[in-house]
Amino acid sequence: MTPGLLLLFAAAVMAAGIAVGLRWPRAWLGLTLAGTIAALAAAGVVLVGAPDWEWRSAFSVGSEPLHLRLDGLSAMFLVLVSVVGGAGTVYAHEYWPDRLYPESAPRGRAWWSTLLLSLGWVLVSSNGLHFLLGWELFTVAAYFLITLERARPEVRKAGWLYLAASHAGTACLFAFFATLAARTGSWDLGPMREQTGLAPLLWLVLAGFGVKAGLFPLHIWLPSAHANAPSHVSAIMSGVAVKMGVYGLVRFSGWLPVPAAAGWVVLGLGAVSALLGIAFAMAQDDLKRLLAYCTVENVGIILTGLGAAMLGAAHGDAPWGRLALAGALLHVWNHGAFKSLLFFGAGSVLHATGTREMSRLGGLWRAMPWTAGLFALGAMAVAGLPPLNGFVSEWLVYLGLFGAVTARGASAWAALPAAIMLAAAGALALATFVKAATVVFLGAPRSKVADHAHECGPGMRAPMLTLAGVCVVLGLAPVLLWPAVSRAAGAWHPAWAIAEAPAPLFTLGMVQLALAVLAAGAAVWLWRRAHANGVQRGPTWDCGYAAPAARMQYTSGSFGGIASGWFGWLLQPERRLRRPRGPLPTGASRVERIPETVLERLIFPVGDVVLQASTAVRRLQHGRLQFYVLYVVIGLAAIGALVMAGGNS
């Protein structure tokens, strides 16, 4: 079947799933999976070598004829939508069933199908007006999914913050598409690099899509939305929805002429986002909020690669720019896989214990071995450890940055600090996920809910196993992915569609495979040796305590203190301390909170000033006609005075 027929089938069954999901969960499951598989097949056909699919129709929507396009770039993102969307569909069937959520589950299924359909529409739309329609539908569907538990005030607050931030970004996109249509005479989209007068519009693209991507400091909506949404929604929001912002940045930086400073700005914002995002993540005690801030870090890694690619294209199509772009595009897939896996794991923990607070967890590996093992694999991948997929894409980005440095051009002044910041972010990422995995799964239970945890069922376990397999395959066989990456890079820059994979990628694949074999062999040898000699359980070294208590363990806060110390100027932790007093003190407490610094220290104060000013201006509206006439007279007098002053000068 052609990509067009596959996409038509996918859209039809997704649309049917919207109606069916309200009443028949199993039928919805089958239809949604069929739609994601069809979309995956359509994207795969294009990525393996079929010509780009393009379709124009006389049928109009909003007085604009339909224009759809599926090329290597949109196909690469459609693969991500299909894989994570399909895995999330299966996960949600067990995680959010009708028997537990009779009111919100049917609604959630309908909005889930709407979200997948609108994401696909955004990726194939090649008309500015239709792109905006799909973008708005995607935003609204995500809002209703985030607020499925709308009875909780914090969920409603997170939903409204997401909606407000998203519409601020949409306003920038509307200004971009409207200005583009006015200057070109058409809403139609396509390559237009030769029209140099359009270059300043890229700043609107960066602002509009940067909000959705969660680029620091435009990330203000992301931590609360991902933390308070149901875990399958958090997974698709982090693994896929933020990538729509990345898609917009990659797409229009390839189609539009690029300002001279754009590469420097994108590279700098990406490196800053990577470092500060993981600093905020390390300081969190909420498991899902930690994962949300880690998304800011990984989006920063992607945009660092994109910025380096823009610099490479501006400096004579430098080969190091191609490596950086390949790393950025591959990291889109990698982050979607391991971050969705981690959110599914966090959902399993929340499902078993009812809490996201790491300070109340611990020792879960005994009751939840599958979740613990799969979360650990995702943690290794997100930390960029070999032989998993996160290492491959970050390594390609590093190669691009190192190539820019060794070229000794002007770009080296941006690439060198960016590489240093990425290295620091990588070290913090490793520490962050050592904290998350050990505090949650190792040690002794810190509360009764952790002590009575249970493993998730097969409906939640199967999607996690699938995504774990994706992480392993993408790590061990990077060469097999090169044709798809090359096709996507060629859609961004026609001269960059390189058929042959770079030689270092073959070496990396062999090293990754060797490491995997050695690790598996060592694990088998240790297991056999332990069982051959007999395994005896005994107490660990207890520092002299006869009966160690769970509260004597390292806590989430003790790990987070590292970030609070280094980045205190940004995190600005709020501490409440009650010291023990008297000869026989009854108790003491220490509470630390990490605020949303940009939101609470910048956005909210500015919003309060605007609200106070608007309230003062509102008093001028009181329904008395004579005062309205006076306002007009004063305004005309002021205009006249300005005109006379200008004439005299």
Side-chain angles (χ1 to χ4, degrees):
M1 296 178 68
T2 64
L5 291 176
L6 289 168
L7 289 176
L8 179 61
F9 175 77
V13 296
M14 284 292 182
I18 296 173
V20 168
L22 292 171
R23 296 191 61 181
W24 297 288
R26 291 192 177 183
W28 167 82
L29 177 63
L31 287 172
T32 308
L33 282 178
T36 57
I37 292 171
L40 178 63
V45 167
V46 171
L47 288 176
V48 297
D52 295 347
W53 175 77
E54 191 168 4
W55 181 66
R56 297 176 184 268
S57 171
F59 179 74
S60 298
V61 176
S63 301
E64 286 291 320
L66 281 176
H67 181 198
L68 306 179
R69 180 201 309 260
L70 183 66
D71 61 4
L73 186 60
S74 53
M76 190 164 196
F77 283 83
L78 187 58
V79 168
L80 183 64
V81 173
S82 303
V83 172
V84 178
T89 300
V90 178
Y91 187 92
H93 189 66
E94 178 178 315
Y95 181 75
W96 208 263
D98 285 5
R99 60 183 177 81
L100 296 179
Y101 307 95
E103 294 184 1
S104 62
R107 189 169 72 241
R109 288 191 294 269
W111 283 116
W112 180 272
S113 297
T114 304
L115 177 68
L116 295 181
L117 185 61
S118 59
L119 289 172
W121 176 260
V122 166
L123 291 175
V124 301
S125 180
S126 199
N127 179 281
L129 182 61
H130 300 158
F131 186 101
L132 283 173
L133 291 174
W135 191 264
E136 183 64 15
L137 182 59
F138 147 46
T139 299
V140 171
Y143 165 76
F144 282 110
L145 285 170
I146 291 170
T147 56
L148 281 179
E149 293 184 284
R150 57 191 178 193
R152 294 166 50 201
E154 62 271 23
V155 172
R156 295 197 301 271
K157 183 178 178 181
W160 281 112
L161 179 60
Y162 163 76
L163 203 60
S166 295
H167 280 106
T170 302
C172 295
L173 295 182
F174 183 81
F176 161 67
F177 284 115
T179 306
L180 186 66
R183 293 190 180 181
T184 61
S186 171
W187 287 89
D188 214 31
L189 299 176
M192 51 191 84
R193 275 185 174 268
E194 68 282 355
Q195 302 184 43
T196 55
L198 301 176
L201 294 181
L202 195 69
W203 303 120
L204 284 173
V205 171
L206 181 61
F209 289 114
V211 171
K212 188 67 74 178
L215 183 65
F216 195 94
L218 305 177
H219 69 290
I220 55 172
W221 63 272
L222 192 149
S224 57
H226 290 190
N228 289 287
S231 295
H232 63 290
V233 177
S234 302
I236 200 166
M237 289 293 293
S238 179
V240 178
V242 298
K243 301 306 189 309
M244 294 299 105
V246 174
Y247 169 75
L249 290 170
V250 177
R251 169 61 78 195
F252 291 102
S253 64
W255 275 352
L256 291 175
V258 177
W264 294 76
V265 172
V266 173
L267 179 64
L269 287 175
V272 169
S273 293
L275 182 57
L276 299 187
I278 199 61
F280 270 99
M282 189 174 185
Q284 303 303 311
D285 182 57
D286 185 318
L287 179 58
K288 290 181 66 178
R289 194 175 287 269
L290 179 151
L291 296 178
Y293 271 115
C294 182
T295 297
V296 178
E297 181 229 354
N298 281 273
V299 168
I301 293 172
I302 295 170
L303 293 188
T304 300
L306 176 61
M310 294 166 71
L311 288 176
H315 291 79
D317 296 339
W320 49 263
R322 304 176 189 179
L323 288 173
L325 180 64
L329 292 173
L330 188 55
H331 204 69
V332 168
W333 274 3
N334 290 340
H335 176 256
F338 58 62
K339 185 51 66 66
S340 300
L341 170 60
L342 288 168
F343 268 115
F344 286 165
S348 178
V349 171
L350 179 60
H351 185 265
T353 64
T355 183
R356 306 190 308 254
E357 296 180 30
M358 290 184 282
S359 58
R360 298 185 61 201
L361 299 172
L364 297 185
W365 72 271
R366 295 179 179 86
M368 308 175 68
W370 284 98
T371 299
L374 293 170
F375 190 94
L377 187 143
M380 291 176 61
V382 73
L385 296 179
L388 297 173
N389 56 339
F391 178 78
V392 177
S393 49
E394 291 189 33
W395 182 75
L396 287 173
V397 172
Y398 275 116
L399 281 183
L401 294 175
F402 293 156
V405 172
T406 55
R408 298 184 179 181
S411 301
W413 293 101
L416 181 59
I420 294 172
M421 293 173 75
L422 284 190
L428 286 175
L430 179 58
T432 297
F433 282 93
V434 167
K435 159 188 166 175
T438 55
V439 170
V440 172
F441 294 103
L442 300 183
R446 294 177 174 84
S447 64
K448 291 183 179 180
V449 293
D451 198 27
H452 294 86
H454 57 84
E455 185 61 273
C456 63
M460 293 166 60
R461 200 181 307 157
M464 289 194 285
L465 285 168
T466 300
L467 292 175
V470 171
C471 292
V472 172
V473 170
L474 292 180
L476 297 183
V479 174
L480 300 180
L481 307 173
W482 186 258
V485 174
S486 175
R487 188 70 183 271
W492 186 78
H493 194 302
W496 286 15
I498 310 169
E500 295 184 2
L505 204 59
F506 287 94
T507 305
L508 176 64
M510 298 300 294
V511 171
Q512 294 270 84
L513 187 59
L515 285 174
V517 172
L518 287 174
V524 171
W525 180 80
L526 288 172
W527 183 84
R528 287 185 174 180
R529 185 174 179 82
H531 284 75
N533 297 333
V535 178
Q536 296 181 351
R537 293 183 178 272
T540 58
W541 180 55
D542 54 14
C543 301
Y545 287 96
R551 62 182 299 178
M552 296 177 183
Q553 304 173 101
Y554 281 107
T555 64
S556 171
S558 61
F559 276 96
I562 300 173
S564 299
W566 292 351
F567 296 92
W569 57 273
L570 176 67
L571 301 179
Q572 298 184 16
E574 300 172 353
R575 298 183 177 94
R576 287 182 296 170
L577 181 63
R578 183 166 63 88
R579 298 181 182 276
R581 297 181 182 277
L584 297 173
T586 57
S589 65
R590 183 181 186 274
V591 179
E592 181 173 293
R593 174 181 174 268
I594 304 297
E596 307 289 346
T597 311
V598 176
L599 183 65
E600 298 180 24
R601 302 289 191 266
L602 180 62
I603 303 297
F604 282 171
V606 172
D608 289 340
V609 172
V610 172
L611 185 61
Q612 292 173 6
S614 62
T615 302
V617 172
R618 187 178 181 183
R619 295 171 184 168
L620 299 175
Q621 183 179 354
H622 39 59
R624 297 178 182 178
L625 182 61
Q626 61 271 29
F627 283 96
Y628 294 159
V629 174
L630 178 62
Y631 299 156
V632 173
V633 171
I634 293 173
L636 291 174
I639 293 173
L642 288 173
V643 171
M644 292 179 64
N648 293 333
S649 62

